[in-house]
Amino acid sequence: MLKFDVVVVGAGGAGMMAALSASEKNNLKVAVLSKIFPTRSHTGAAQGGINAAMGYRDSTDSPEKHFRDTVKGSDFLADQDAVEFFTSGMPDMISELDYYGVPFSRDEKGQVAQRPFGGASSPRTCYSADKTGHVILHALYEQCLKNHVQFLNEWFLLSLVVEDGKFEGLVAMDIRDGKIHPIQAKSVVIASGGFGRIYWSRTTNAINMTGDGTAACFEAGIPLKDPEFIQFHPTGLAQTGVLLSEACRGEGGYLINKDGERFMARYAPEKMELGPRDLVSRSIETEIKEGRGFGEGMTSYVLMDLRHLGEKKIMERLPQVRELALEFEGVDLIKEPVPIRPSCHYTMGGIHVSDYKTCSTPIEGIHAAGECCSVSIHGANRLGGNSVADVVFFGKYAGLGAKESAMRRSFGRTEKLEQEANAWKTKFKTIREKTTGVSMFSIRNRLAETMWNYVGIFRTESEMAQALATVDELIEEYKDAYAGDASVKYNMAFINYVEIGNILKLARAVAMGALNRRESRGSHSRGDYPTRNDEQFLKHTLIYKDGENYRLEYAPVTITNYQPEERKY
Amino acid sequence: MEMMTVKIKRFDGRNSYYQKYEVPYEKGKTILWLLTTIREEQDPTLNFTSACRHAICGSCAVQINGNAFLACNTPLDDVLETYKTMNLTFEPLKNFEVIKDLVIVWEPKMEKMTKVKPWIIPGEEGSKEIGFLQSEEDFQQIAAPTDCILCGVCASECNQLAVNQDGYLEPFILNKAYRYIVDTRDGAPEQHLKPVLENDLWKCLHCMQCVSQCPKTIPLTDQIAFLRSATMAMGELDNQGAKHAYAFHDDVKNKGRLNETMLPIKTDGLVQTALTKIPFALRMVKKGKINPLHMPKQISGIQEVRKLYEYAEEVKS
Ligand SMILES: Cc1cc2nc3c(=O)[nH]c(=O)nc-3n(C[C@H](O)[C@H](O)[C@H](O)COP(=O)(O)OP(=O)(O)OC[C@H]3O[C@@H](n4cnc5c(N)ncnc54)[C@H](O)[C@@H]3O)c2cc1C
Ligand code: SF4
Ligand code: SF4
Ligand code: FES
């Protein structure tokens, strides 16, 4: 049986940081498992930047201000001790990344350049043109190569094995040869990214962002924290949902309605286009709803105008953005405004991390970092540039936490691991041999439509109840899902089948959390409860899975420095 | 309804064969849309890789009618129009090991890349605690090469690699070496440069296929020229390759003696470029860098070779 001290699931920013820190200066056997080749991970898609109060561009900036902005941005649902830990550690993190070779854009003094970003009271977003995540991902991969980190590429996590509340190992498939392996480990870091694909085509997320690690933890008994908080990015391309970076607004882009108005004046008179994402997303949807958008129904949009920035600035600062608009929308934004509308962008909720310093979960030996989990530093709404920061920062601490766990723990038993692997082998065989059934892609598409229409940007009780019922039906149908590939080697149809199972599980939790949160907070916006209700809902949702049943609980929010106040921009 | 005939090279680990699919044409779609539609509506056993679907993860490169493209950002209409056909043939990237259908393996390439130490060897001025200082201009030096998404298009197109897999380095590996050689934060550029020289740097044919197809328009051949002069600056002027390469370049430019100088090459790089630079043109036209009406149509003599060079220079700038 394969045996490692530490297994990291995921090779994005969080996973590779975790692997680097877990394997630094010791003899632990560490392996990184990733369903796609590491540099394909979605961290690479982050364009705009990474937040850290370096104070280079604005000397009055400080980790304290970053702390306050993050808490305010979270609509006071973030745990303040964790946020403070995070914001005070970020400046060092940037220097570390610089030392790893990340090619940051520079200011005139040669320091890492910083730009303004939505929801930030100072320009503190460090960046590399508009490919920040990409260069960080590649630099981390290079560091992993340098440090001989062992990768198991195109290996797929199927499930985690837990006995008596303790982690014993995991089951994974080597996609290339189709073999299913039990893997014994003392600790694991789950860093499998977000689950934006519950909205399938209406998301900025890569097609593989199906929350497999989050679903595996959920299945293993770890609750999901705050799954109802889904961020919609205001500036997805109208036709495809492909993201145009927040930097467009950061650099001064205008949002324009049908009447040619900069409509943000109505919603955030001071910050205008630089208001936080949830606010901007809702503002766009309101414009559309009230008939001031272009187009109709699902194809409605507003315009983002960058022409006033001029060709030079656009080519220098937003070259990738320009290319995206050109390739996917056929629009040259030097010459024309580009049609945009919101797209599901980020999942604030996820695996319940119970100790932010080690990123451990309620199950001994299981740690988590990155978008798959909720520490929670983003609360009800993540600020732009705070996620890549979260990913590298907590990736590091999760790696250190897993290292400690591994040094403290010994290997568990193997019986249950063998059993679990055998169960998956049987399942694989059954699905391969199945020749009829409900198309899995149809299930996936109907799930997405339901979630977009009824658990999307605006939410109401009756619609969500309906969504929940539909999701339940789809979960029933899934039992007879048909994948359509009988081969053993590289059977992506089977992988997609498992992924669809995962998004169904997670979508149900999203709908349930949303239905029960009878208030509006951050990204969770309810038509029937339009205001925040701190008295009843200043608390984290925790959803447990007991067999087929979901159980809802709540947990308190840690408040240290900032008492909740109305969020105005 | 207008139909497209799509032939895809399948491979199941043992046998390979071409499979035909008929797909209804739709306007304004991408190549990735085409592959996804076939997979989801006709054949779930068809395998290819993709993730981000916006040209940043590098996973979706394939060969279409003989040239390498990124599937997600290549408009279907452009391809149909340039090749003037409704018949498309898909194959996996060349010069890579294939696992299944259009899926290739990357690990051997990364293993090979470690030859050039593809990581920063930090200079003494920096530290983990305070990072580095680097001027804006110096950052600009590494801005383009760090655009590389490791998609493999350049390697698939490379004419030298096609005949010299073991000896030559993939253009993206040369790019990676270049990236650290010119990075002012790196304390030991020679450690990246030496292995480049030792791995047939001088055998690049300057056929321009890599640059012409790179979806990130990374100036790979300029970099190769830079690497060559850097190795000469390092005192390697005497090496056989240096002399040979210069002779080659001048010959072709002055006399158009293509066939003689390029005998050892399987496919004649330059002619190949001229005949199949369609996709190249495609992207340049789209970005408004060249006028499609001014393209040389075929190579028939020295004038054309010169034109090709001028054209290449023009596009590089
Ligand atoms: C278009 C876009 C732009 C963005 N821009 C910004 C920005 O400017 N600033 C910012 O701060 N944030 C941004 N974000 C958010 C940020 O990029 C992500 O939240 C973050 O990168 C997630 O990193 P991660 O390491 O958690 O996961 P990922 O990078 O998504 O990596 C997940 C890893 O898990 C692996 N994995 C998943 N499932 C399995 C499985 N079953 N088995 C094995 N391996 C598995 C995958 O292979 C992958 O390696 C952006 C997001 C998007 C979509
Ligand atoms: S120019 Fe050189 S590196 Fe580029 S494809 Fe031709 S031979 Fe290969
Ligand atoms: S250099 Fe260009 S073509 Fe080659 S791998 Fe990088 S991005 Fe792809
Ligand atoms: S899907 Fe990521 S580059 Fe094409």
PDB file of all heavy atoms in Angstrom, chain A residues 173 177-180 424-436 481-489 491 493-494 497:
ATOM      1  N   MET A 173      -7.649   7.628  -7.487  1.00  0.00           N
ATOM      2  CA  MET A 173      -7.474   6.913  -8.744  1.00  0.00           C
ATOM      3  C   MET A 173      -6.339   7.524  -9.555  1.00  0.00           C
ATOM      4  O   MET A 173      -6.259   8.743  -9.704  1.00  0.00           O
ATOM      5  CB  MET A 173      -8.762   6.969  -9.574  1.00  0.00           C
ATOM      6  CG  MET A 173      -8.600   6.322 -10.954  1.00  0.00           C
ATOM      7  SD  MET A 173     -10.014   6.642 -12.022  1.00  0.00           S
ATOM      8  CE  MET A 173     -10.895   5.114 -11.826  1.00  0.00           C
ATOM      9  N   ASP A 177      -3.861   5.074 -15.593  1.00  0.00           N
ATOM     10  CA  ASP A 177      -4.014   3.634 -15.790  1.00  0.00           C
ATOM     11  C   ASP A 177      -5.311   3.090 -15.191  1.00  0.00           C
ATOM     12  O   ASP A 177      -5.596   1.892 -15.264  1.00  0.00           O
ATOM     13  CB  ASP A 177      -2.785   2.863 -15.290  1.00  0.00           C
ATOM     14  CG  ASP A 177      -2.613   2.938 -13.787  1.00  0.00           C
ATOM     15  OD1 ASP A 177      -3.530   3.432 -13.100  1.00  0.00           O
ATOM     16  OD2 ASP A 177      -1.563   2.504 -13.285  1.00  0.00           O
ATOM     17  N   GLY A 178      -6.072   3.967 -14.575  1.00  0.00           N
ATOM     18  CA  GLY A 178      -7.376   3.552 -14.058  1.00  0.00           C
ATOM     19  C   GLY A 178      -7.326   2.748 -12.768  1.00  0.00           C
ATOM     20  O   GLY A 178      -8.349   2.256 -12.301  1.00  0.00           O
ATOM     21  N   LYS A 179      -6.151   2.663 -12.159  1.00  0.00           N
ATOM     22  CA  LYS A 179      -6.059   1.896 -10.908  1.00  0.00           C
ATOM     23  C   LYS A 179      -6.509   2.741  -9.721  1.00  0.00           C
ATOM     24  O   LYS A 179      -6.200   3.926  -9.640  1.00  0.00           O
ATOM     25  CB  LYS A 179      -4.615   1.438 -10.685  1.00  0.00           C
ATOM     26  CG  LYS A 179      -4.156   0.405 -11.703  1.00  0.00           C
ATOM     27  CD  LYS A 179      -3.154  -0.558 -11.079  1.00  0.00           C
ATOM     28  CE  LYS A 179      -2.832  -1.691 -12.033  1.00  0.00           C
ATOM     29  NZ  LYS A 179      -1.682  -1.374 -12.917  1.00  0.00           N
ATOM     30  N   ILE A 180      -7.209   2.064  -8.819  1.00  0.00           N
ATOM     31  CA  ILE A 180      -7.673   2.753  -7.619  1.00  0.00           C
ATOM     32  C   ILE A 180      -6.811   2.314  -6.440  1.00  0.00           C
ATOM     33  O   ILE A 180      -6.637   1.124  -6.206  1.00  0.00           O
ATOM     34  CB  ILE A 180      -9.165   2.448  -7.387  1.00  0.00           C
ATOM     35  CG1 ILE A 180      -9.983   3.167  -8.472  1.00  0.00           C
ATOM     36  CG2 ILE A 180      -9.603   2.885  -5.990  1.00  0.00           C
ATOM     37  CD1 ILE A 180     -11.435   2.796  -8.508  1.00  0.00           C
ATOM     38  N   TRP A 424     -14.833   1.482  -4.085  1.00  0.00           N
ATOM     39  CA  TRP A 424     -14.667   2.339  -5.271  1.00  0.00           C
ATOM     40  C   TRP A 424     -14.382   1.515  -6.516  1.00  0.00           C
ATOM     41  O   TRP A 424     -14.832   1.839  -7.609  1.00  0.00           O
ATOM     42  CB  TRP A 424     -13.556   3.373  -5.058  1.00  0.00           C
ATOM     43  CG  TRP A 424     -14.028   4.601  -4.332  1.00  0.00           C
ATOM     44  CD1 TRP A 424     -13.746   4.959  -3.048  1.00  0.00           C
ATOM     45  CD2 TRP A 424     -14.892   5.626  -4.849  1.00  0.00           C
ATOM     46  NE1 TRP A 424     -14.374   6.135  -2.733  1.00  0.00           N
ATOM     47  CE2 TRP A 424     -15.071   6.577  -3.821  1.00  0.00           C
ATOM     48  CE3 TRP A 424     -15.528   5.834  -6.077  1.00  0.00           C
ATOM     49  CZ2 TRP A 424     -15.864   7.721  -3.983  1.00  0.00           C
ATOM     50  CZ3 TRP A 424     -16.316   6.985  -6.245  1.00  0.00           C
ATOM     51  CH2 TRP A 424     -16.478   7.904  -5.209  1.00  0.00           C
ATOM     52  N   LYS A 425     -13.625   0.438  -6.338  1.00  0.00           N
ATOM     53  CA  LYS A 425     -13.351  -0.423  -7.495  1.00  0.00           C
ATOM     54  C   LYS A 425     -14.646  -1.007  -8.047  1.00  0.00           C
ATOM     55  O   LYS A 425     -14.861  -1.059  -9.259  1.00  0.00           O
ATOM     56  CB  LYS A 425     -12.384  -1.547  -7.100  1.00  0.00           C
ATOM     57  CG  LYS A 425     -10.945  -1.063  -6.983  1.00  0.00           C
ATOM     58  CD  LYS A 425     -10.007  -2.166  -6.517  1.00  0.00           C
ATOM     59  CE  LYS A 425      -8.668  -1.567  -6.101  1.00  0.00           C
ATOM     60  NZ  LYS A 425      -7.845  -2.484  -5.316  1.00  0.00           N
ATOM     61  N   THR A 426     -15.504  -1.434  -7.127  1.00  0.00           N
ATOM     62  CA  THR A 426     -16.796  -1.980  -7.549  1.00  0.00           C
ATOM     63  C   THR A 426     -17.607  -0.917  -8.269  1.00  0.00           C
ATOM     64  O   THR A 426     -18.209  -1.151  -9.316  1.00  0.00           O
ATOM     65  CB  THR A 426     -17.581  -2.475  -6.309  1.00  0.00           C
ATOM     66  OG1 THR A 426     -16.706  -3.309  -5.559  1.00  0.00           O
ATOM     67  CG2 THR A 426     -18.826  -3.232  -6.715  1.00  0.00           C
ATOM     68  N   LYS A 427     -17.612   0.255  -7.678  1.00  0.00           N
ATOM     69  CA  LYS A 427     -18.369   1.355  -8.278  1.00  0.00           C
ATOM     70  C   LYS A 427     -17.862   1.671  -9.691  1.00  0.00           C
ATOM     71  O   LYS A 427     -18.655   1.845 -10.626  1.00  0.00           O
ATOM     72  CB  LYS A 427     -18.221   2.590  -7.396  1.00  0.00           C
ATOM     73  CG  LYS A 427     -18.901   3.808  -7.920  1.00  0.00           C
ATOM     74  CD  LYS A 427     -19.706   4.407  -6.830  1.00  0.00           C
ATOM     75  CE  LYS A 427     -20.598   5.497  -7.317  1.00  0.00           C
ATOM     76  NZ  LYS A 427     -21.398   6.031  -6.234  1.00  0.00           N
ATOM     77  N   PHE A 428     -16.568   1.731  -9.827  1.00  0.00           N
ATOM     78  CA  PHE A 428     -15.946   2.022 -11.130  1.00  0.00           C
ATOM     79  C   PHE A 428     -16.405   0.981 -12.155  1.00  0.00           C
ATOM     80  O   PHE A 428     -16.797   1.310 -13.278  1.00  0.00           O
ATOM     81  CB  PHE A 428     -14.418   2.006 -10.972  1.00  0.00           C
ATOM     82  CG  PHE A 428     -13.646   2.398 -12.208  1.00  0.00           C
ATOM     83  CD1 PHE A 428     -14.133   3.353 -13.099  1.00  0.00           C
ATOM     84  CD2 PHE A 428     -12.406   1.829 -12.478  1.00  0.00           C
ATOM     85  CE1 PHE A 428     -13.404   3.724 -14.232  1.00  0.00           C
ATOM     86  CE2 PHE A 428     -11.674   2.192 -13.608  1.00  0.00           C
ATOM     87  CZ  PHE A 428     -12.177   3.134 -14.484  1.00  0.00           C
ATOM     88  N   LYS A 429     -16.399  -0.274 -11.721  1.00  0.00           N
ATOM     89  CA  LYS A 429     -16.784  -1.363 -12.612  1.00  0.00           C
ATOM     90  C   LYS A 429     -18.259  -1.205 -13.011  1.00  0.00           C
ATOM     91  O   LYS A 429     -18.610  -1.281 -14.193  1.00  0.00           O
ATOM     92  CB  LYS A 429     -16.560  -2.695 -11.893  1.00  0.00           C
ATOM     93  CG  LYS A 429     -16.761  -3.920 -12.736  1.00  0.00           C
ATOM     94  CD  LYS A 429     -15.996  -5.108 -12.130  1.00  0.00           C
ATOM     95  CE  LYS A 429     -16.174  -6.375 -12.964  1.00  0.00           C
ATOM     96  NZ  LYS A 429     -17.502  -7.011 -12.763  1.00  0.00           N
ATOM     97  N   THR A 430     -19.094  -0.954 -12.021  1.00  0.00           N
ATOM     98  CA  THR A 430     -20.525  -0.814 -12.291  1.00  0.00           C
ATOM     99  C   THR A 430     -20.788   0.307 -13.294  1.00  0.00           C
ATOM    100  O   THR A 430     -21.544   0.145 -14.246  1.00  0.00           O
ATOM    101  CB  THR A 430     -21.282  -0.471 -10.976  1.00  0.00           C
ATOM    102  OG1 THR A 430     -20.802  -1.343  -9.967  1.00  0.00           O
ATOM    103  CG2 THR A 430     -22.769  -0.628 -11.136  1.00  0.00           C
ATOM    104  N   ILE A 431     -20.162   1.441 -13.051  1.00  0.00           N
ATOM    105  CA  ILE A 431     -20.400   2.587 -13.935  1.00  0.00           C
ATOM    106  C   ILE A 431     -19.868   2.295 -15.340  1.00  0.00           C
ATOM    107  O   ILE A 431     -20.477   2.662 -16.349  1.00  0.00           O
ATOM    108  CB  ILE A 431     -19.741   3.869 -13.361  1.00  0.00           C
ATOM    109  CG1 ILE A 431     -20.357   4.224 -12.018  1.00  0.00           C
ATOM    110  CG2 ILE A 431     -19.850   5.038 -14.327  1.00  0.00           C
ATOM    111  CD1 ILE A 431     -21.850   4.483 -12.046  1.00  0.00           C
ATOM    112  N   ARG A 432     -18.735   1.618 -15.417  1.00  0.00           N
ATOM    113  CA  ARG A 432     -18.184   1.277 -16.733  1.00  0.00           C
ATOM    114  C   ARG A 432     -19.095   0.361 -17.514  1.00  0.00           C
ATOM    115  O   ARG A 432     -19.220   0.459 -18.731  1.00  0.00           O
ATOM    116  CB  ARG A 432     -16.810   0.608 -16.573  1.00  0.00           C
ATOM    117  CG  ARG A 432     -15.696   1.601 -16.449  1.00  0.00           C
ATOM    118  CD  ARG A 432     -14.316   1.017 -16.574  1.00  0.00           C
ATOM    119  NE  ARG A 432     -14.209  -0.414 -16.609  1.00  0.00           N
ATOM    120  CZ  ARG A 432     -13.766  -1.177 -15.611  1.00  0.00           C
ATOM    121  NH1 ARG A 432     -13.399  -0.614 -14.483  1.00  0.00           N
ATOM    122  NH2 ARG A 432     -13.676  -2.480 -15.743  1.00  0.00           N
ATOM    123  N   GLU A 433     -19.703  -0.564 -16.782  1.00  0.00           N
ATOM    124  CA  GLU A 433     -20.513  -1.576 -17.475  1.00  0.00           C
ATOM    125  C   GLU A 433     -21.936  -1.111 -17.767  1.00  0.00           C
ATOM    126  O   GLU A 433     -22.671  -1.758 -18.505  1.00  0.00           O
ATOM    127  CB  GLU A 433     -20.537  -2.861 -16.642  1.00  0.00           C
ATOM    128  CG  GLU A 433     -19.184  -3.565 -16.700  1.00  0.00           C
ATOM    129  CD  GLU A 433     -19.059  -4.703 -15.707  1.00  0.00           C
ATOM    130  OE1 GLU A 433     -19.997  -4.892 -14.900  1.00  0.00           O
ATOM    131  OE2 GLU A 433     -18.022  -5.396 -15.744  1.00  0.00           O
ATOM    132  N   LYS A 434     -22.309   0.000 -17.175  1.00  0.00           N
ATOM    133  CA  LYS A 434     -23.673   0.505 -17.353  1.00  0.00           C
ATOM    134  C   LYS A 434     -23.881   0.981 -18.794  1.00  0.00           C
ATOM    135  O   LYS A 434     -23.035   1.694 -19.337  1.00  0.00           O
ATOM    136  CB  LYS A 434     -23.878   1.671 -16.392  1.00  0.00           C
ATOM    137  CG  LYS A 434     -25.293   1.951 -16.004  1.00  0.00           C
ATOM    138  CD  LYS A 434     -25.266   2.816 -14.744  1.00  0.00           C
ATOM    139  CE  LYS A 434     -26.590   3.351 -14.274  1.00  0.00           C
ATOM    140  NZ  LYS A 434     -27.788   3.129 -14.968  1.00  0.00           N
ATOM    141  N   THR A 435     -24.975   0.557 -19.412  1.00  0.00           N
ATOM    142  CA  THR A 435     -25.161   0.935 -20.822  1.00  0.00           C
ATOM    143  C   THR A 435     -26.354   1.852 -21.055  1.00  0.00           C
ATOM    144  O   THR A 435     -26.556   2.347 -22.159  1.00  0.00           O
ATOM    145  CB  THR A 435     -25.346  -0.319 -21.702  1.00  0.00           C
ATOM    146  OG1 THR A 435     -26.345  -1.141 -21.105  1.00  0.00           O
ATOM    147  CG2 THR A 435     -24.051  -1.098 -21.821  1.00  0.00           C
ATOM    148  N   THR A 436     -27.150   2.078 -20.017  1.00  0.00           N
ATOM    149  CA  THR A 436     -28.260   3.017 -20.168  1.00  0.00           C
ATOM    150  C   THR A 436     -28.377   3.846 -18.898  1.00  0.00           C
ATOM    151  O   THR A 436     -27.683   3.585 -17.920  1.00  0.00           O
ATOM    152  CB  THR A 436     -29.613   2.288 -20.319  1.00  0.00           C
ATOM    153  OG1 THR A 436     -29.756   1.416 -19.194  1.00  0.00           O
ATOM    154  CG2 THR A 436     -29.706   1.526 -21.617  1.00  0.00           C
ATOM    155  N   ALA A 481     -27.413   7.528 -13.099  1.00  0.00           N
ATOM    156  CA  ALA A 481     -26.688   8.300 -14.116  1.00  0.00           C
ATOM    157  C   ALA A 481     -25.834   7.385 -14.992  1.00  0.00           C
ATOM    158  O   ALA A 481     -25.302   6.377 -14.535  1.00  0.00           O
ATOM    159  CB  ALA A 481     -25.807   9.351 -13.453  1.00  0.00           C
ATOM    160  N   TYR A 482     -25.714   7.794 -16.231  1.00  0.00           N
ATOM    161  CA  TYR A 482     -24.989   7.028 -17.219  1.00  0.00           C
ATOM    162  C   TYR A 482     -23.796   7.845 -17.710  1.00  0.00           C
ATOM    163  O   TYR A 482     -23.946   8.994 -18.117  1.00  0.00           O
ATOM    164  CB  TYR A 482     -25.951   6.720 -18.384  1.00  0.00           C
ATOM    165  CG  TYR A 482     -25.296   6.157 -19.608  1.00  0.00           C
ATOM    166  CD1 TYR A 482     -24.606   4.955 -19.563  1.00  0.00           C
ATOM    167  CD2 TYR A 482     -25.389   6.830 -20.834  1.00  0.00           C
ATOM    168  CE1 TYR A 482     -24.009   4.441 -20.704  1.00  0.00           C
ATOM    169  CE2 TYR A 482     -24.807   6.316 -21.981  1.00  0.00           C
ATOM    170  CZ  TYR A 482     -24.105   5.123 -21.906  1.00  0.00           C
ATOM    171  OH  TYR A 482     -23.514   4.619 -23.027  1.00  0.00           O
ATOM    172  N   ALA A 483     -22.583   7.237 -17.617  1.00  0.00           N
ATOM    173  CA  ALA A 483     -21.382   7.988 -17.986  1.00  0.00           C
ATOM    174  C   ALA A 483     -20.948   7.704 -19.425  1.00  0.00           C
ATOM    175  O   ALA A 483     -20.528   8.601 -20.141  1.00  0.00           O
ATOM    176  CB  ALA A 483     -20.251   7.664 -17.025  1.00  0.00           C
ATOM    177  N   GLY A 484     -21.022   6.448 -19.842  1.00  0.00           N
ATOM    178  CA  GLY A 484     -20.814   6.176 -21.259  1.00  0.00           C
ATOM    179  C   GLY A 484     -19.431   5.771 -21.721  1.00  0.00           C
ATOM    180  O   GLY A 484     -19.172   5.749 -22.911  1.00  0.00           O
ATOM    181  N   ASP A 485     -18.527   5.473 -20.805  1.00  0.00           N
ATOM    182  CA  ASP A 485     -17.210   5.017 -21.244  1.00  0.00           C
ATOM    183  C   ASP A 485     -16.850   3.737 -20.493  1.00  0.00           C
ATOM    184  O   ASP A 485     -16.830   3.714 -19.265  1.00  0.00           O
ATOM    185  CB  ASP A 485     -16.161   6.107 -20.976  1.00  0.00           C
ATOM    186  CG  ASP A 485     -14.808   5.783 -21.613  1.00  0.00           C
ATOM    187  OD1 ASP A 485     -14.625   4.632 -22.079  1.00  0.00           O
ATOM    188  OD2 ASP A 485     -13.934   6.677 -21.646  1.00  0.00           O
ATOM    189  N   ALA A 486     -16.562   2.692 -21.246  1.00  0.00           N
ATOM    190  CA  ALA A 486     -16.293   1.390 -20.629  1.00  0.00           C
ATOM    191  C   ALA A 486     -14.816   1.153 -20.365  1.00  0.00           C
ATOM    192  O   ALA A 486     -14.423   0.138 -19.793  1.00  0.00           O
ATOM    193  CB  ALA A 486     -16.846   0.276 -21.521  1.00  0.00           C
ATOM    194  N   SER A 487     -13.957   2.109 -20.771  1.00  0.00           N
ATOM    195  CA  SER A 487     -12.528   1.816 -20.669  1.00  0.00           C
ATOM    196  C   SER A 487     -11.993   2.016 -19.257  1.00  0.00           C
ATOM    197  O   SER A 487     -12.571   2.721 -18.432  1.00  0.00           O
ATOM    198  CB  SER A 487     -11.751   2.661 -21.673  1.00  0.00           C
ATOM    199  OG  SER A 487     -12.121   4.004 -21.540  1.00  0.00           O
ATOM    200  N   VAL A 488     -10.869   1.386 -19.012  1.00  0.00           N
ATOM    201  CA  VAL A 488     -10.239   1.477 -17.702  1.00  0.00           C
ATOM    202  C   VAL A 488      -9.276   2.664 -17.663  1.00  0.00           C
ATOM    203  O   VAL A 488      -9.266   3.465 -16.740  1.00  0.00           O
ATOM    204  CB  VAL A 488      -9.481   0.164 -17.383  1.00  0.00           C
ATOM    205  CG1 VAL A 488      -8.686   0.304 -16.085  1.00  0.00           C
ATOM    206  CG2 VAL A 488     -10.466  -0.995 -17.296  1.00  0.00           C
ATOM    207  N   LYS A 489      -8.469   2.763 -18.725  1.00  0.00           N
ATOM    208  CA  LYS A 489      -7.456   3.819 -18.740  1.00  0.00           C
ATOM    209  C   LYS A 489      -8.030   5.174 -19.129  1.00  0.00           C
ATOM    210  O   LYS A 489      -8.782   5.281 -20.091  1.00  0.00           O
ATOM    211  CB  LYS A 489      -6.375   3.468 -19.756  1.00  0.00           C
ATOM    212  CG  LYS A 489      -5.538   2.306 -19.325  1.00  0.00           C
ATOM    213  CD  LYS A 489      -4.437   2.042 -20.332  1.00  0.00           C
ATOM    214  CE  LYS A 489      -3.647   0.828 -19.856  1.00  0.00           C
ATOM    215  NZ  LYS A 489      -2.697   0.370 -20.840  1.00  0.00           N
ATOM    216  N   ASN A 491     -10.268   7.208 -18.056  1.00  0.00           N
ATOM    217  CA  ASN A 491     -11.716   7.269 -18.223  1.00  0.00           C
ATOM    218  C   ASN A 491     -12.239   8.579 -17.615  1.00  0.00           C
ATOM    219  O   ASN A 491     -12.679   8.631 -16.477  1.00  0.00           O
ATOM    220  CB  ASN A 491     -12.351   6.053 -17.546  1.00  0.00           C
ATOM    221  CG  ASN A 491     -13.836   5.940 -17.841  1.00  0.00           C
ATOM    222  OD1 ASN A 491     -14.496   6.935 -18.120  1.00  0.00           O
ATOM    223  ND2 ASN A 491     -14.352   4.730 -17.776  1.00  0.00           N
ATOM    224  N   ALA A 493     -14.842  10.132 -18.367  1.00  0.00           N
ATOM    225  CA  ALA A 493     -16.289  10.097 -18.164  1.00  0.00           C
ATOM    226  C   ALA A 493     -16.577   9.676 -16.720  1.00  0.00           C
ATOM    227  O   ALA A 493     -17.449  10.255 -16.058  1.00  0.00           O
ATOM    228  CB  ALA A 493     -16.945   9.141 -19.153  1.00  0.00           C
ATOM    229  N   PHE A 494     -15.826   8.720 -16.230  1.00  0.00           N
ATOM    230  CA  PHE A 494     -16.032   8.309 -14.838  1.00  0.00           C
ATOM    231  C   PHE A 494     -15.662   9.448 -13.883  1.00  0.00           C
ATOM    232  O   PHE A 494     -16.359   9.721 -12.914  1.00  0.00           O
ATOM    233  CB  PHE A 494     -15.212   7.055 -14.506  1.00  0.00           C
ATOM    234  CG  PHE A 494     -15.340   6.636 -13.065  1.00  0.00           C
ATOM    235  CD1 PHE A 494     -16.527   6.079 -12.599  1.00  0.00           C
ATOM    236  CD2 PHE A 494     -14.299   6.839 -12.165  1.00  0.00           C
ATOM    237  CE1 PHE A 494     -16.669   5.717 -11.251  1.00  0.00           C
ATOM    238  CE2 PHE A 494     -14.435   6.483 -10.819  1.00  0.00           C
ATOM    239  CZ  PHE A 494     -15.612   5.920 -10.359  1.00  0.00           C
ATOM    240  N   TYR A 497     -18.315  11.845 -13.819  1.00  0.00           N
ATOM    241  CA  TYR A 497     -19.428  11.267 -13.063  1.00  0.00           C
ATOM    242  C   TYR A 497     -19.250  11.544 -11.565  1.00  0.00           C
ATOM    243  O   TYR A 497     -20.171  12.002 -10.886  1.00  0.00           O
ATOM    244  CB  TYR A 497     -19.506   9.760 -13.359  1.00  0.00           C
ATOM    245  CG  TYR A 497     -20.356   8.982 -12.393  1.00  0.00           C
ATOM    246  CD1 TYR A 497     -21.748   8.921 -12.551  1.00  0.00           C
ATOM    247  CD2 TYR A 497     -19.776   8.323 -11.308  1.00  0.00           C
ATOM    248  CE1 TYR A 497     -22.526   8.220 -11.644  1.00  0.00           C
ATOM    249  CE2 TYR A 497     -20.548   7.628 -10.400  1.00  0.00           C
ATOM    250  CZ  TYR A 497     -21.921   7.572 -10.560  1.00  0.00           C
ATOM    251  OH  TYR A 497     -22.688   6.894  -9.660  1.00  0.00           O
TER     252      TYR A 497
END
